[in-house]
Amino acid sequence: MGHSSLEKIIALQRNPENIRNLCILAHVDHGKTTLADCLVASNGIISSRLAGKLRYLDSREDEQLRGITMKSSAISLHFTQGEKEYLVNLIDSPGHVDFSSEVSTAVRLCDGAIVVVDAVEGVCPQTQVVLRQAWLENIRPVLVINKIDRLIIELKLTSQEAYAHLQKILEQVNAVTGTLFTSKVLEERAEKDSEEKESDLSGDQVYDWSAGLEEADDSNLYFSPDQGNVVFASAIDGWGFSIQQFAQIYSQRMGIRAEVLLKTLWGDFYLNAKAKKIMKGAQAKGKKPLFVQLVLDNIWSLYDAVVTRRDKEKVEKVVTSLGVKVMARDTRHSDPKVLLSAICSQWLPVSQAVLSMVCEKLPSPLDMAAERVEKLMSVGARRFDSLPEETQELKKAFLQCSSQENAPVIIFVSKMFAVDTKALPQYRQRPLTQEEIAQRRELARQRHADRMAADQSAADLANIKMSLFLWMESLTVKEPKPEEDEQQKETFIAFARVYSGVVKRGQRVFVLGPKYDPAQGLSMLPEGCTATDSVPEVPHLSCCTMGNLYLLMGRELEELEEVPCGNVLGIGGLEEYVLKSATLSTSPACPPFTPLNFEATPIVRVAIEPKHPSEMPKLVRGMRLLNQADPCAEVLIQETGEHVLVTAGEVHLQRCLDDLRDRFAKIEISASKPIIPFRETVIRPPKVDMVNEEMGKQQKVAIIHQVKEESSQARTSDTLQVDPSGLVTLTTPNRLATVSIRAIPLPEEVTRLLDGSLELIRTLEQVNMSLREGRSLDISTRTLEAIEGLKAKLEGLLQGRKWRNAVDRIWAFGPRRYGPNLLLNNVDSYQRPSVWQCLFKGNKPSKPAPQAALRDFDNSIISGFQLATLSGPMCEEPLMGVCFSVERWDIQASTPLQQQDSVEEDSISHESSEDSRAEGGSEMDEQGEGPAAGPNQAKRRPEAGPADCYGPVSGQLIAATKEACRQAFQAQPQRLMAAMYTCDIMATAEVLGRVYGVLGKREGRVLHEEMKEGTDMFIIKAVLPVAESFGFADEIRKRTSGLASPQLVFSHWEVISSDPYWVPTTEEEYLHFGEKADSANQALKIHERRPPP
């Protein structure tokens, strides 16, 4: 990029009114990067002939090889429209489902989005996902219908048929947008109704059945060509147009006002040649619509002349009539697409159509909606109006987007990305000036003359000395180069946006962690405190100095001194302070932004180790860098010491392994086969056996039945009793506590509800913890309604005698306090505070205190339950859909002997408690919700007596509860749950059978198939076990010769019907399966395939 253009972009950055921050969103292979190439070529950064072939924003080697985008890349473009000059900060994002986390990082920094849809494939699964992501972030989309050339060349549609096809695509996109809009309006209506109920409890109530959709304004919601938010394009051929362009062209030729043409070019209108009028009812009268007659027919005839017939005479006429200049080499080229691109790129340049639409229809940073600002600033359950006044005043800074000196600096970092240190501007080789070149030439000539003039003997002597010196040097032991040089080959740059103020190099700012509370920060910091002062220690708050600031230009970076608000930028020097994303501000009143919405769930995990054990430190460092560089990847260290990498899918896993091997660790690594996660559950006793005979009617095989009885008796000991109904009673080794627990399978709908409400349950637990600690927490009305809705749904689903009052008796959720398992309090003598206490805070004082008191060691029962649900007895995987009912809990009073424990025994009890907490995992400790909450409870409840919550009773009770839960689980019919992918496949009719063959071979299940209207493509929706998905995409492509490509998205957990420990117990099963029963058992096969825990 030339120096003058850099100065121009710096000047444009100071005018936020003419800045447009936007990203390109689409399904994979719908043409995002090709479109981005056309826009980049309009600035002269690349040649227009290479647009679509170079894939300029795909800078990684594997992106070029695979032909898909794997990371979001930004570039700043200059666009002039009339007298106005605009700065367009463009972010190209991936379309593959494995990299949807990159889309989330791009969407957060933008005010608008270009949604690209393939004219043949239409709305695909990932199109719906990106539309939803744009909706959730409150950014405005515009539509580009790309690859219209495929309708002409591949599908061979007539212009009339293509028009009908394009109308259907618009309807599909608008249907998705309409669904999102409707759900939002209904939510707002529900909130309004609840507020009205609270404010007006008296008077005659008249039911209003209107949903509020009639009053809601959706005029600017939908995509319509006459509104100017749709462009029709073929990015590979370099052309694109909006209705406005043709309205301007024909208004001059036909003498019709441009405003009239704008309203009638798209729709059921036709041109009456006799009356010289535009009339309605083209379809009813069998006339060509205006869009077909004036727009599509011209494009179709151009393709017919240039590509299909190659008619030179007609091409010359077209070129003359359009007034474009075509070079002789283009007309002689063997590929007709070269000539077509040369004509179209001058007649209807796609960059002009798209950029003018972007500048007219997408908002500037000054137009940011107040609703979006409040949403960004309200983390978790906090209401915006409950934030401190200083924090609420920052809303004005967002909306004003001010670059004044006194404006607070607010920056959001959406991701960290690694670049080669040599690619940074400060290390880039600077081109020499003419004077420097002449000076170096003269020096080289002088040196050459000196060498030639030297005496031959002197030269020989010098050679001898040099050889001796080299020989001596080879004998000396060379010290290894310090690793710092090697480690500094990758530098991390923060991908960020300035929302307020001016960012300057070397500026000191606060780094706000995701759990930072501005109210707490303001109370602990002195008034008027800034990041340059010596700041006292505040939880989740640190200070850092801004490193170099960069203008992101695709594959290159340009150094900047300062960046005003409203711009996207790169920031260096933050790798020590920011892991993946963060909020930076000069004001401690600024809250951390809401976390990013990630659509992809990391599900595929592999264990990694270096080929040479001595290189383990390099692997550890490399995995730390990979964790920072990838928004979706997770790096874990197991209790066994294994290093595990968790990724979103097979393609994502391959990219992470390549990065680890070639960029971050730079060592040879070996990765295990993918470790498939499972869940463990219990089911109701089956009614039929393995040969579909009703249970209880067959003759039991005496020997096997006797073996089973012996195994159940073996589990009974002096401290453990298991009765035939499945109730497990366990006594602690010190005989001071006894618990009785029963495992009950939860209904499938309840499990699904709990699994889908994990974030809400986590918020509920945080609220309950703050109430237990006596802290007040202002919860938003929406969060309270969501909690109330969850409770109501649970009450509706848990019906029947055994679930009576079960919702009010919920003791805890697990694992990690927010999982899809329940602990029920069925102890008659114990009534503890409800987990739903935040819903009736106002009624809390009216309740009698003894009933709401927590018993001693209440938290020990919860901790034991958390540990039991975190790793089940079958294969140490988390439980799912299990309810543990505590039916008895007895604790004997403390004996004098226990109270006279020595100091040594007390310290041992502390250590055992610490061990038990460590076993529960770090996540419980982070939230402070494990056994560590014990002392706080003791302080809050002075009437609880002298019981030591960290003593031996607590540790033994945790272990006893955990063991009782595991034994109760094993007393019920056990099953494994497999992770399932939703698989969307687009295929033609010829390869449909082969697709079904691959799915059947891999135990997939087809849910439904439908033919895409107007094409020969079928859309197949299926479910496939994650365990069977590795190599599935490659196999599909090979079997169908590349005519089908699947998209795999994690969907749900599904119970595997067969019992992994099943043995024949009836005469019929014995005869059918044999004594060994060694026929195929899917659950056992999957269980044995897992690596040992």
Side-chain angles (χ1 to χ4, degrees):
M1 188 176 76
H3 191 62
S4 60
S5 56
L6 174 60
E7 288 177 346
K8 187 71 184 172
I9 284 179
I10 291 171
L12 288 169
Q13 283 185 335
R14 302 184 187 284
N15 183 10
E17 189 182 349
N18 287 358
I19 295 173
R20 299 291 182 270
N21 297 313
L22 61 114
C23 53
I24 306 181
L25 309 175
H27 188 79
V28 67
D29 285 336
H30 278 202
K32 296 180 299 300
T33 307
T34 306
L35 178 63
D37 268 9
C38 294
L39 303 183
V40 170
S42 71
N43 269 223
I45 296 169
I46 63 171
S47 164
S48 57
R49 290 176 177 276
L50 293 175
K53 303 176 185 69
L54 185 62
R55 301 174 64 84
Y56 181 72
L57 293 181
D58 286 353
S59 53
R60 291 172 58 99
E61 188 181 349
D62 48 3
E63 288 180 317
Q64 293 286 347
L65 286 171
R66 284 183 178 269
I68 61 170
T69 305
M70 295 184 181
K71 60 164 188 16
S72 49
S73 308
I75 192 165
S76 295
L77 304 175
H78 171 217
F79 176 64
T80 306
Q81 187 174 30
E83 294 180 359
K84 284 191 174 183
E85 290 183 301
Y86 293 93
L87 175 64
V88 178
N89 294 319
L90 179 73
I91 304 175
D92 183 27
S93 63
H96 196 286
V97 68
D98 281 12
F99 307 107
S100 60
S101 57
E102 292 279 348
V103 179
S104 303
T105 62
V107 166
R108 171 57 64 87
L109 304 184
C110 296
D111 301 307
I114 301 173
V115 178
V116 183
V117 176
D118 190 320
V120 173
E121 296 181 5
V123 175
C124 292
Q126 202 62 16
T127 314
Q128 298 181 25
V129 169
V130 296
L131 278 167
R132 184 167 64 250
Q133 282 181 303
W135 181 267
L136 289 172
E137 288 289 343
N138 282 51
I139 68 170
R140 192 182 300 170
V142 290
L143 182 66
V144 174
I145 299 180
N146 193 25
K147 301 193 181 183
I148 290 180
D149 58 297
R150 291 183 68 191
L151 300 179
I152 307 169
I153 296 167
E154 289 181 28
L155 299 187
K156 294 182 169 44
L157 299 181
T158 64
S159 54
Q160 184 83 30
E161 291 167 342
Y163 173 65
H165 184 76
L166 292 171
Q167 278 185 314
K168 282 171 188 165
I169 288 174
L170 267 173
E171 286 171 11
Q172 290 170 7
V173 179
N174 285 332
V176 176
T177 314
T179 307
L180 296 167
F181 175 72
T182 305
S183 62
K184 180 191 174 188
V185 171
L186 293 176
E187 278 179 20
E188 288 175 353
R189 172 71 191 207
E191 281 182 26
K192 189 179 172 185
D193 286 351
S194 64
E195 286 172 9
E196 285 175 358
K197 281 179 188 175
E198 288 173 10
S199 60
D200 185 22
L201 296 172
S202 60
D204 297 331
Q205 294 285 331
V206 179
Y207 182 70
D208 179 12
W209 59 86
S210 67
L213 289 170
E214 296 82 3
E215 298 86 13
D217 179 26
D218 60 352
S219 56
N220 297 319
L221 174 71
Y222 298 111
F223 299 106
S224 180
D226 54 3
Q227 286 187 9
N229 58 2
V230 179
V231 162
F232 303 93
S234 169
I236 197 71
D237 289 337
W239 61 266
F241 65 88
S242 61
I243 294 289
Q244 281 85 342
Q245 286 173 271
F246 276 96
Q248 293 293 337
I249 293 168
Y250 284 109
S251 68
Q252 296 167 7
R253 288 189 186 178
M254 300 169 67
I256 302 172
R257 289 202 318 275
E259 296 80 21
V260 175
L261 279 170
L262 198 59
K263 290 178 182 176
T264 55
L265 261 176
W266 182 264
D268 194 26
F269 299 95
Y270 72 97
L271 185 65
N272 189 327
K274 290 181 181 177
K276 293 186 179 180
K277 286 182 180 179
I278 296 171
M279 304 183 76
K280 203 171 183 180
Q283 190 176 357
K285 295 175 183 175
K287 302 284 186 182
K288 268 189 183 180
L290 214 57
F291 186 73
V292 176
Q293 189 176 352
L294 300 183
V295 181
L296 294 186
D297 278 351
N298 291 323
I299 294 168
W300 256 246
S301 60
L302 178 63
Y303 270 82
D304 181 60
V306 177
V307 180
T308 312
R309 295 186 185 179
R310 303 196 184 188
D311 189 340
K312 288 187 179 179
E313 290 181 7
K314 194 171 181 182
V315 169
E316 285 175 10
K317 285 181 183 177
V318 169
V319 168
T320 308
S321 65
L322 292 176
V324 297
K325 293 180 181 179
V326 179
M327 297 175 75
R329 67 177 183 182
D330 291 337
T331 55
R332 290 196 298 267
H333 205 285
S334 58
D335 185 3
K337 281 293 193 90
V338 174
L339 176 59
L340 180 75
S341 182
I343 297 169
C344 291
S345 59
Q346 294 178 64
W347 176 40
L348 299 170
V350 66
S351 58
Q352 180 71 29
V354 172
L355 290 175
S356 59
M357 173 178 69
V358 160
C359 294
E360 286 175 18
K361 295 296 172 184
L362 294 185
S364 71
L366 290 172
D367 302 324
M368 183 181 278
E371 182 188 357
R372 186 184 180 196
V373 174
E374 290 184 11
K375 197 173 177 183
L376 285 174
M377 296 174 76
S378 304
V379 183
R382 297 294 296 268
R383 290 200 317 266
F384 178 75
D385 54 11
S386 70
L387 293 168
E389 282 183 23
E390 296 94 324
T391 305
Q392 293 184 44
E393 284 173 10
L394 289 176
K395 180 182 172 183
K396 293 177 186 174
F398 272 95
L399 298 175
Q400 289 170 359
C401 197
S402 172
S403 298
Q404 294 175 0
E405 286 294 325
N406 60 351
V409 173
I410 302 171
I411 306 164
F412 181 73
V413 176
S414 69
K415 70 167 183 173
M416 302 290 286
F417 64 95
V419 294
D420 192 339
T421 305
K422 291 176 185 174
L424 296 175
Q426 55 264 40
Y427 300 112
R428 199 186 304 150
Q429 284 188 345
R430 183 174 56 84
L432 298 173
T433 62
Q434 290 296 328
E435 293 81 6
E436 287 172 329
I437 291 169
Q439 193 178 359
R440 289 193 180 195
R441 190 188 300 121
E442 192 61 39
L443 283 169
R445 281 178 184 164
Q446 189 68 38
R447 279 199 301 268
H448 182 66
D450 291 345
R451 275 201 305 270
M452 294 297 288
D455 188 45
Q456 186 65 38
S457 59
D460 292 341
L461 185 63
N463 287 335
I464 292 165
K465 284 181 179 178
M466 180 59 71
S467 60
L468 280 169
F469 172 72
L470 291 172
W471 179 65
M472 290 294 291
E473 193 180 37
S474 65
L475 292 176
T476 58
V477 179
K478 291 184 180 178
E479 292 183 6
K481 286 184 180 179
E483 284 191 10
E484 281 81 23
D485 298 341
E486 196 177 316
Q487 290 180 4
Q488 292 303 319
K489 285 186 179 177
E490 293 290 339
T491 303
F492 278 93
I493 306 290
F495 190 39
R497 173 176 167 179
V498 188
Y499 284 90
S500 172
V502 180
V503 186
K504 297 177 181 176
R505 187 195 300 180
Q507 191 174 19
R508 292 279 292 173
V509 291
F510 293 111
V511 181
L512 314 173
K515 293 182 181 178
Y516 172 69
D517 183 3
Q520 185 184 15
L522 289 168
S523 64
M524 294 177 72
L525 292 170
E527 194 173 342
C529 178
T530 62
T532 53
D533 305 332
S534 57
V535 179
E537 194 171 327
V538 178
H540 313 293
L541 180 78
S542 58
C543 296
C544 75
T545 304
M546 291 285 185
N548 291 316
L549 307 180
Y550 300 104
L551 176 68
L552 304 172
M553 293 299 295
R555 299 182 183 189
E556 294 180 1
L557 298 168
E558 296 290 346
E559 211 165 356
L560 300 170
E561 287 298 321
E562 62 177 39
V563 180
C565 65
N567 288 285
V568 174
L569 78 158
I571 307 172
L574 297 182
E575 55 264 33
E576 298 297 324
Y577 304 96
V578 178
L579 179 61
K580 298 199 180 198
S581 65
T583 309
L584 313 177
S585 180
T586 52
S587 168
C590 182
F593 282 23
T594 50
L596 296 166
N597 297 303
F598 288 148
E599 294 286 334
T601 309
I603 194 78
V604 180
R605 55 179 68 199
V606 290
I608 296 173
E609 61 183 18
K611 285 206 171 172
H612 305 292
S614 61
E615 295 178 325
M616 179 58 86
K618 289 185 180 179
L619 176 68
V620 172
R621 181 184 169 277
M623 291 191 77
R624 180 174 59 80
L625 294 176
L626 174 66
N627 184 42
Q628 191 168 18
D630 195 301
C632 193
E634 292 178 8
V635 173
L636 311 171
I637 300 177
Q638 304 282 67
E639 290 177 6
T640 55
E642 268 186 325
H643 289 77
V644 175
L645 175 65
V646 193
T647 60
E650 201 175 353
V651 182
H652 187 212
L653 171 64
Q654 191 58 51
R655 190 195 79 170
C656 289
L657 291 176
D658 290 344
D659 277 354
L660 197 58
R661 195 177 291 115
D662 302 331
R663 296 182 68 187
F664 300 129
K666 294 189 178 176
I667 58 170
E668 284 298 311
I669 58 172
S670 55
S672 69
K673 287 184 178 177
I675 306 164
I676 311 302
F678 289 94
R679 296 290 181 265
E680 301 178 27
T681 189
V682 293
I683 60 168
R684 295 172 66 184
K687 294 181 179 177
V688 295
D689 64 4
M690 291 293 283
V691 288
N692 288 331
E693 294 284 339
E694 281 191 35
M695 298 286 253
K697 292 190 177 180
Q698 309 92 329
Q699 181 71 35
K700 295 280 182 186
V701 178
I703 300 168
I704 297 172
H705 189 54
Q706 184 181 342
V707 169
K708 285 198 80 178
E709 281 185 348
E710 284 173 1
S711 66
S712 66
Q713 285 170 7
R715 286 194 294 168
T716 303
S717 64
D718 56 341
T719 59
L720 170 70
Q721 286 91 33
V722 183
D723 73 359
S725 67
L727 182 69
V728 173
T729 303
L730 198 98
T731 306
T732 56
N734 59 10
R735 311 285 178 175
L736 291 180
T738 304
V739 287
S740 296
I741 297 176
R742 188 191 307 275
I744 310 165
L746 284 171
E748 190 179 337
E749 298 83 3
V750 175
T751 307
R752 208 178 299 124
L753 174 65
L754 293 175
D755 194 38
S757 309
L758 297 182
E759 284 302 319
L760 187 62
I761 297 169
R762 183 186 290 184
T763 304
L764 174 66
E765 182 57 35
Q766 287 171 353
V767 172
N768 285 337
M769 194 173 80
S770 66
L771 290 173
R772 284 197 298 271
E773 291 174 358
R775 291 189 287 114
S776 62
L777 187 67
D778 289 319
I779 313 165
S780 64
T781 313
R782 181 176 291 185
T783 306
L784 278 174
E785 283 175 4
I787 293 170
E788 199 169 347
L790 174 66
K791 185 186 179 191
K793 284 176 187 173
L794 284 172
E795 286 169 346
L797 293 170
L798 292 173
Q799 297 288 342
R801 184 172 54 82
K802 70 175 178 179
W803 298 113
R804 190 176 298 150
N805 298 326
V807 178
D808 292 322
R809 289 186 280 109
I810 292 174
W811 197 330
F813 300 89
R816 301 187 181 96
R817 303 254 175 177
Y818 57 89
N821 302 287
L822 296 179
L823 181 67
L824 286 189
N825 174 20
N826 277 328
V827 182
D828 294 331
S829 59
Y830 180 36
Q831 187 172 356
R832 68 187 302 281
S834 170
V835 294
W836 312 103
Q837 58 186 322
C838 62
L839 297 178
F840 35 81
K841 279 192 293 183
N843 302 333
K844 190 178 175 186
S846 64
K847 290 196 167 191
Q851 289 188 346
L854 287 170
R855 249 166 89 168
D856 286 324
F857 310 114
D858 175 278
N859 215 47
S860 300
I861 297 283
I862 294 174
S863 298
F865 163 72
Q866 301 297 340
L867 292 172
T869 52
L870 193 61
S871 58
M874 294 171 77
C875 47
E876 301 301 321
E877 291 282 1
L879 305 189
M880 188 172 187
V882 185
C883 172
F884 291 104
S885 172
V886 181
E887 303 194 355
R888 178 187 167 198
W889 177 25
D890 297 332
I891 292 188
Q892 293 182 21
S894 300
T895 60
L897 203 69
Q898 184 192 349
Q899 291 175 7
Q900 293 170 7
D901 283 341
S902 65
V903 175
E904 290 91 325
E905 186 175 322
D906 191 45
S907 65
I908 291 168
S909 71
H910 273 277
E911 286 173 15
S912 69
S913 175
E914 288 294 323
D915 289 344
S916 65
R917 279 189 289 147
E919 193 178 351
S922 60
E923 298 195 25
M924 284 168 57
D925 293 346
E926 280 177 12
Q927 299 201 17
E929 295 164 5
N936 295 333
Q937 290 175 8
K939 288 174 189 174
R940 287 193 302 277
R941 294 180 285 105
E943 74 279 5
D948 181 11
C949 290
Y950 281 107
V953 178
S954 173
Q956 290 189 13
L957 186 55
I958 290 172
T961 306
K962 177 187 173 183
E963 187 58 30
C965 288
R966 288 171 77 97
Q967 294 291 344
F969 181 91
Q970 291 176 300
Q972 302 295 331
Q974 308 167 66
R975 294 291 184 270
L976 283 175
M977 296 181 82
M980 302 297 283
Y981 275 139
T982 298
C983 176
D984 291 289
I985 307 171
M986 291 188 73
T988 55
E990 304 90 67
V991 297
L992 216 52
R994 295 176 201 168
V995 170
Y996 278 19
V998 176
L999 278 168
K1001 174 184 165 187
R1002 290 174 175 266
E1003 297 173 4
R1005 193 170 70 251
V1006 176
L1007 301 177
H1008 63 81
E1009 69 164 58
E1010 59 180 348
M1011 192 171 186
K1012 206 159 187 63
E1013 224 173 325
T1015 68
D1016 61 344
M1017 303 289 285
F1018 282 84
I1019 299 174
I1020 303 152
K1021 199 171 187 71
V1023 288
L1024 181 77
V1026 173
E1028 300 290 342
S1029 68
F1030 301 100
F1032 173 72
D1034 287 339
E1035 189 176 357
I1036 282 269
R1037 278 194 283 270
K1038 284 175 187 170
R1039 292 289 302 276
T1040 61
S1041 304
L1043 292 173
S1045 184
Q1047 282 267 318
L1048 300 171
V1049 187
F1050 175 70
S1051 171
H1052 64 285
W1053 298 91
E1054 196 170 280
V1055 177
I1056 301 171
S1057 56
S1058 50
D1059 182 358
Y1061 302 126
W1062 175 80
V1063 291
T1065 55
T1066 66
E1067 191 75 41
E1068 289 83 355
E1069 288 176 344
Y1070 186 73
L1071 291 171
H1072 189 277
F1073 292 102
E1075 188 177 344
K1076 292 183 179 177
D1078 53 1
S1079 60
N1081 180 336
Q1082 187 194 355
L1084 184 61
K1085 182 178 77 174
I1086 290 172
H1087 187 273
E1088 288 174 347
R1089 194 190 297 174
R1090 289 188 76 262

